[in-house]
Amino acid sequence: MAPKKHGFGKRKRKSKQSGSNGVKKGKFANNTNQLPTGKPEQSIIEKKDYPSQSEDSSSEEEVNPYQELVSSIKQQSDSDKSEVESDSDDLEDSNDDVDNDSEDEDSVDGSDDNLDEKENIETSNKLDDAKHAVSENESDNSETSDKSEVEDSEEEIDESETEQDDEDLDAQNLDPFLEHFEKEISEEDVTKLSQSQWTKSEMKIPHLGKCTVRTIKGHPQKPDNSTDLKKMHVKQSLCNEVKTTNIKHGSEKGDLSPLQLMVFKILNQYQDLYYPCRTQETGEHLRLVYCLHALNHVLKNRKRVISHNTKMKLPGNEDKDYRDQGLARPKVLIVIPFREAALRIVDIMISLLKSDEKSMVSNKKRFYSEYKLDNTDQRRGAKPEDYESTFTGNTDDHFRIGLGVAKKTLKLYTNFYASDIILASPLGLRTIIGSEGDKERDYDFLSSIEMLIFDQADILMMQNWDHIIHLMKHFHLQPKESHGTDFSRVRMWTLNGWSKYYRQNIILSSVSDPQILSLFNKHCCNYNGKITLHRPETKGSISQVVVQLPQVYHKLSCSSYSQLADDRFNFFLQKILPTHKDPVLAQTLIYVPSYFDFVRLRNYFVREDLSFVYISEYTKDKTLSRSRNQFFHGNAHFMLYTERVHFYRRFKVRGIKHIIFYELPLFPHFYSELCNMLIENRQENSSCTVMYSQYDVQKLTEIVGSDRASHMISSSKHIHMFVTGE
């Protein structure tokens, strides 16, 4: 009994028997969960060894091999025509709006089936023409002409595909995809990875700068010197559209820039990457790079499954063991903060997949109506450039969408278990994953994620970082349901529970933060190694403070990072607050990055009956206006001001005479923005007080500069002063 063939769909079709070779025809023969195979019959023909006509040309019973070829394919085309007629409605309905949570998987996969069936009909028609040409010119050169006709028809079937179809040839060419996912790591490697026994080294990568490389191999894997995407095993159909796509997103020449090329080389080697140097200028360029890498990965995986499905139809291969799949179909998860980012990613993918007029995007109209925002929605008031760049477009942070990827097709709003790529926000994922004890929760779609991408991780921190931590705890857990999985096709390292050691993790951020770095170090354990880029040396945002302002930095002692919040609170109550209670230091703004610290301070101020107002991200507009007005007129001594309200609203708070940075801000330019708000009171005795610890090295570096930060951390003195301005 042949094993059940597994793919990714759930569509069932009746198999049809061939009268000649005993191979079951039809795309889904004996297969209840399989990708559309496109042109399976052509692959079968290529594997056959036909006898030469010159061996026994006098035999009357000898059948021309090419005629046999034409006859077999024509029979298949006749059977496929009936399927096309019965399924023609699927293609017409592929762009209809379908609910994401209840979409029928048959309609999801129907568009791909029809494309493949039409290609089969076109193939049979072309071979019929070739058959007539052969019958009119039967000669001693018939074998040569047959061979050339077959080759021509193959080129017409798929002109854009030039890669080798056989995985053995791919292995000889050292395809990173096969090298990474076909390798079986040893128990010793698993032990090293589970205990974080990394070999650490420093190196400098061209166009990226200094970086820290961690590997269990003992030596870092350097990016190759190739500049040709084809030689890096990128699908030909994607290579053809890279230049056009790059021009659409800001590149002048279209070719990948040195930065893009170097980042892609690292990603293409399936190494983890932490890139904390993302800027407004490079953001779209990096987005194109990881979209290209994700599509290349999905198409290779899909092609490999189809190839094995075709081989299993050959006589004698029914019982052959192919390990090429995971426990669920989704392979790539991209976590982004806003719908606008999802819109740009989909636009890039559509552009990269568009190879000819047959390209199709299902549910495109619905997608643009839900994710694209009209330009009429303009924000009032002049805001900084980085604010306008961040909050352009649809800034809704609750969304999730599945993408089904084929060679020339992108299906939007597919069910998660029929998707190859998932785009989602942390909140959108959290509402599906749920919490312990929830009746309706689902995280099985995270069981076989092979590529995890966090883009704009700094903005994700401004939402709710707890959602990210919760997400990381639900990767690669044992599924509650099988979801149509054929376990005979599941990779052994997946069954061993080692999937997290094969998952590639990519984190892009504009700042370096201990929480992001902790996530990368703790939850990212790719056996192929991990690269952490260093931010370049800087003079610090303190150089952008234009107001004449003395700034006093207080270093607090802390025994461990877990005690940092308590030590900072006690230091503030004992050293900082008593001095600033003096009426001379009225109208003091206290900048608090953490909401938990904000709540702690607010409760203390209420208990002590101190004169204060507060503004947080949860403050209602009416209360917010009243608080700003009271502080401006001096009716409140203190104002508690959170970092997230400044990030989302970017207020220009008037009436500030003194500032206390309870903790260094995540975004270094916030420091100069707040200090420059004192410019209205520059003739008075203003002051700035900053608290920091030895765990704030990176934040301190971005504010005071590399040289000053190194001295302040290592110095035995606990108080340092700087004066800026005239």
Side-chain angles (χ1 to χ4, degrees), residues 440-465:
E440 296 183 1
R441 55 184 312 218
D442 185 15
Y443 49 80
D444 291 354
F445 60 91
L446 300 173
S447 60
S448 294
I449 295 295
E450 297 174 354
M451 187 181 301
L452 174 62
I453 302 174
F454 288 106
D455 193 10
Q456 297 177 286
D458 49 322
I459 299 180
L460 298 179
M461 291 194 65
M462 291 291 101
Q463 294 179 342
N464 193 334
W465 193 249

Side-chain angles (χ1 to χ4, degrees), residues 207-408:
H207 308 292
L208 295 182
K210 296 180 180 180
C211 66
T212 300
V213 182
R214 293 177 176 85
T215 178
I216 60 172
K217 301 177 181 179
H219 56 85
Q221 182 179 2
K222 296 182 180 180
D224 57 42
N225 297 323
S226 176
T227 59
D228 189 357
L229 293 177
K230 298 178 184 177
K231 294 181 179 179
M232 289 186 276
H233 301 272
V234 179
K235 302 287 287 185
Q236 181 65 46
S237 58
L238 297 177
C239 293
N240 295 338
E241 300 300 326
V242 168
K243 187 172 183 178
T244 303
T245 306
N246 211 14
I247 292 176
K248 289 180 181 179
H249 293 83
S251 176
E252 296 180 357
K253 298 181 179 179
D255 296 329
L256 293 181
S257 66
L259 172 65
Q260 288 177 306
L261 193 60
M262 192 56 61
V263 172
F264 181 78
K265 288 179 180 179
I266 295 175
L267 302 186
N268 194 49
Q269 290 176 344
Y270 286 94
Q271 295 175 292
D272 288 357
L273 176 65
Y274 175 38
Y275 187 91
C277 308
R278 189 186 191 277
T279 63
Q280 299 178 34
E281 294 76 17
T282 62
E284 290 301 310
H285 298 163
L286 293 173
R287 184 172 283 145
L288 184 145
V289 169
Y290 70 69
C291 286
L292 174 63
H293 179 52
L295 288 176
N296 189 48
H297 174 80
V298 169
L299 290 176
K300 282 183 178 181
N301 192 45
R302 180 179 185 273
K303 172 187 171 184
R304 187 164 177 78
V305 172
I306 291 175
S307 176
H308 288 170
N309 290 342
T310 303
K311 290 181 179 180
M312 293 180 69
K313 295 179 181 179
L314 295 174
N317 286 352
E318 292 85 355
D319 297 329
K320 194 168 183 179
D321 188 18
Y322 289 108
R323 299 283 181 174
D324 54 9
Q325 299 173 15
L327 298 173
R329 177 170 178 175
K331 293 295 181 290
V332 179
L333 174 63
I334 304 178
V335 184
I336 42 182
F338 303 126
R339 285 179 181 257
E340 175 66 18
L343 174 66
R344 298 185 182 186
I345 289 173
V346 171
D347 283 341
I348 291 175
M349 290 185 175
I350 291 175
S351 181
L352 288 173
L353 290 172
K354 184 178 180 180
S355 56
D356 56 23
E357 296 179 356
K358 294 182 180 179
S359 347
M360 188 186 70
V361 181
S362 63
N363 297 318
K364 185 176 181 180
K365 183 177 180 181
R366 174 190 173 187
F367 175 77
Y368 281 113
S369 66
E370 294 182 1
Y371 283 77
K372 193 172 183 179
L373 193 65
D374 295 336
N375 295 329
T376 55
D377 185 16
Q378 299 291 339
R379 300 177 182 276
R380 299 179 179 178
K383 301 292 183 180
E385 182 180 356
D386 68 290
Y387 180 89
E388 296 294 343
S389 175
T390 301
F391 294 98
T392 298
N394 193 332
T395 57
D396 179 25
D397 63 351
H398 187 193
F399 64 93
R400 52 188 179 268
I401 181 172
L403 310 180
V405 179
K407 183 179 175 183
K408 301 174 183 178

Side-chain angles (χ1 to χ4, degrees), residues 618-631:
Y618 301 110
T619 304
K620 296 181 180 180
D621 289 343
K622 184 177 180 180
T623 305
L624 191 148
S625 299
R626 183 171 62 249
S627 298
R628 293 178 65 185
N629 185 63
Q630 291 179 354
F631 183 76

Side-chain angles (χ1 to χ4, degrees), residues 444-496:
D444 291 354
F445 60 91
L446 300 173
S447 60
S448 294
I449 295 295
E450 297 174 354
M451 187 181 301
L452 174 62
I453 302 174
F454 288 106
D455 193 10
Q456 297 177 286
D458 49 322
I459 299 180
L460 298 179
M461 291 194 65
M462 291 291 101
Q463 294 179 342
N464 193 334
W465 193 249
D466 182 64
H467 294 339
I468 301 296
I469 301 300
H470 188 73
L471 169 66
M472 300 305 294
K473 295 178 180 179
H474 288 80
F475 278 106
H476 310 300
L477 300 179
Q478 181 176 346
K480 296 181 178 180
E481 300 179 8
S482 63
H483 302 286
T485 302
D486 182 0
F487 291 96
S488 65
R489 299 283 294 275
V490 177
R491 295 186 178 98
M492 292 305 300
W493 48 262
T494 300
L495 298 177
N496 291 336

Side-chain angles (χ1 to χ4, degrees), residues 461-464 515 591-603 614-619 640-645 662-663:
M461 291 194 65
M462 291 291 101
Q463 294 179 342
N464 193 334
Q515 295 186 69
Y591 182 84
V592 189
S594 171
Y595 183 77
F596 299 104
D597 291 335
F598 163 78
V599 172
R600 194 175 190 178
L601 289 173
R602 184 190 61 186
N603 294 340
Y614 63 87
I615 298 177
S616 73
E617 57 271 28
Y618 301 110
T619 304
L640 298 179
Y641 188 71
T642 64
E643 183 172 59
R644 286 205 285 181
V645 73
Y662 188 79
E663 184 182 354

Side-chain angles (χ1 to χ4, degrees), residues 89-98 103 107-108 111 359-367 409-413:
D89 293 338
D90 292 345
L91 184 60
E92 296 175 357
D93 297 337
S94 61
N95 290 326
D96 292 344
D97 292 345
V98 186
E103 185 174 10
S107 63
V108 170
S111 59
S359 347
M360 188 186 70
V361 181
S362 63
N363 297 318
K364 185 176 181 180
K365 183 177 180 181
R366 174 190 173 187
F367 175 77
T409 309
L410 183 65
K411 293 176 283 186
L412 306 177
Y413 293 99

